[in-house]
Amino acid sequence: MISVDNLSLYFGAQNVFENISFMINKGDKIGLVGKNGSGKSTLLKLLTNNLQPKEGKVSRFKDLIIGYLQQDIDFQDQYTLIEEMHKVFSNIEIYNQELDQLNTEISERTDFETKEYMGLLDRLAVVEESLRMEGGYDVNLKIDKILKGLGFNREDYNKSTSEFSGGWRMRIELAKILLKDPDVLLLDEPTNHLDIVSIVWLEKWLTEYTGAVLLVSHDKKFLDSITNRTIELAFSKINDYKATYSKYLELRKDRQEKQYQAKKNQDKYIEQTKMLINKFRAKKNKAAFAQTLIRKLEKLEIIEVEQQDLSKLNFSFTAALHSGKVTFRMKNIFKSYGNLNVLKGINLEINRGEKIAFVGKNGEGKTTLAKIAVGDIDFDGRTELGYNVKLGYYAQNQVDFLDPDSTVLKTIEDSMTEETRLKARDVLGSFLFTNDDVNKKISVLSGGERARVSLCKLLLSPVNFLIMDEPTNHLDIVSKDILKKALIKFDGTLIIISHDRDFLQGLTNKIYEFKNQCIKEHLGDINEFLKLKELETLDGLNTKNKAKTVIVKKDSFQKISYKQRKELDKKIRKIENKISKIEGEITVLENAKKELDEKLTQPDLFKELTNSPDFFINYELEKEKIQKKEQDWESLVSELSKLKKGDAK
């Protein structure tokens, strides 16, 4: 499908790729891995023709459809969400417009035996068949499925895309790409802006997807769930493994051990050869032999050992003063954005040494509560830091606070005192910025390198209460593992917002789930929480609890009597039954319409069916009946949602 042949790319004196070759075949599910700055995003740009190689070529099948999700997108906000989705099916919209025009024209004519009338019928049959072949009758179902899986509600459909945050607009772009059903999917960190529920849904979608996938991700569980092949970028070369990510790690370790032994043997050979050269080059009768040895050394391809020196990568937190027993309190916290209520009546107490994860769908208030805790936004209620508490905060967009025109070294020096500034290079060395790397401008760094600079700045001040909002975004897998180890050793109090299941596993001992403006406390780590929530069934955070949870939120609507609860449950069941009945009716009506549409594509049947002058009137009435049922379904679903939220009286 895509072939890369002897491709080379370099910027100035720096080689990004050197004579790399590989193929992407149908059914390949490839994980593209490598440390930050190794060229993963650059390779995707080359595959899509957004960047041209210096040497070599990229070949593609004719008419190949590629879906490409990049990390940085220039959004154009001109349409509503549903209009943006329908733009994907522009050819179907053209067919629909022509279909409406033909039906109108046919219904207005009475010259049934003329050549022109029969020509209209023939064209109608062609358009109907083209629409069916393009899947035009299933467009709304496809859109609903994708948008629901990515966390959108029907209430979002008529919102302008400008009303959505950057993370949600990235989801809109992902939805458009998935709706295209391309031959090849190129996805650059698709999970960065997804919550756990949506990640699990996307895993299932990509597993069932029959096209090829080239995926850049630092989520180990996500890679293992999807990939059957791993391509590693290292030292401007690629290493291709027909294996999942976990299996690749094992194979890579074995290869590196052999590589290390080969390097030792080569170093020994070079040393011995140099000794012979020095021994014979001054002797007249051996000078030619010495020159032969010199030419051999010049032609020798030096073996590079790819194993990283992890001892240099060292995240450690400076010890802070011992704080009091209670680290932080929140009392009766309310927060709204205009008419949108995000948090209502939150009461929370966090004790010294607790390590807590905030989880839940995007938009449920996790980041909002973190910003309230650090005093970044206004709110109603009261917060209180404990005795001797020193707070550190890593925001979700922390890298945006870096000065793009400043160098790495100056950025860190400006965050240090006069006494510690002399150690700036040592500090940067522990974050893998060495030699000329420290003089690079922030603007030329990769997303992961910027994240490491931001972490370095945070760790320069001693803290005993740390709030981190998606700190693993853009970090490579090795950096994430080191950060996780440092956080496990951190002896202060930790609140972490993350969708990375592997990162959270074994890190936290308590979870707060954000849902319906409330928070619920769950004891245990992320695996226990996911098992409780049965995310593997894709019911996600909406499934019924199977274990006891401690309800932190205590709104008045939860304090209802047994009789009221029974009545509410009765209403919910009644609406659920109505929804189920309407869904069945819609299915029957749509199947009947689809069957009739297929008959209309056959000339003999078409003439027989359309002999009745009322045919097209009845046909339109059936379409309106389906639309009415869909509107009733939407109304009932909205009512059910309100009841489940406890807003119904």
Side-chain angles (χ1 to χ4, degrees), residues 550-566:
V550 180
I551 301 176
V552 177
K553 175 74 177 73
K554 297 182 177 68
D555 275 340
S556 58
F557 72 76
Q558 291 177 315
K559 300 177 181 178
I560 60 177
S561 67
Y562 172 76
K563 185 177 179 180
Q564 289 172 313
R565 170 55 62 190
K566 193 173 180 181

Side-chain angles (χ1 to χ4, degrees), residues 96-114:
N96 277 324
Q97 289 171 14
E98 186 176 0
L99 194 64
D100 290 340
Q101 184 179 344
L102 286 168
N103 280 325
T104 301
E105 193 170 345
I106 289 170
S107 66
E108 292 173 348
R109 296 183 69 134
T110 56
D111 54 337
F112 304 120
E113 302 300 326
T114 64

Side-chain angles (χ1 to χ4, degrees), residues 155 177 209 610:
E155 292 81 2
I177 290 168
Y209 171 63
T610 56

Side-chain angles (χ1 to χ4, degrees), residues 117-147:
Y117 185 82
M118 295 308 296
L120 288 173
L121 296 183
D122 290 341
R123 180 57 189 166
L124 182 68
V126 170
V127 174
E128 287 274 10
E129 176 63 13
S130 299
L131 196 59
R132 188 182 69 81
M133 293 295 291
E134 291 280 351
Y137 299 110
D138 300 322
V139 165
N140 289 328
L141 288 175
K142 289 178 183 177
I143 290 173
D144 276 341
K145 181 180 178 182
I146 297 293
L147 290 181

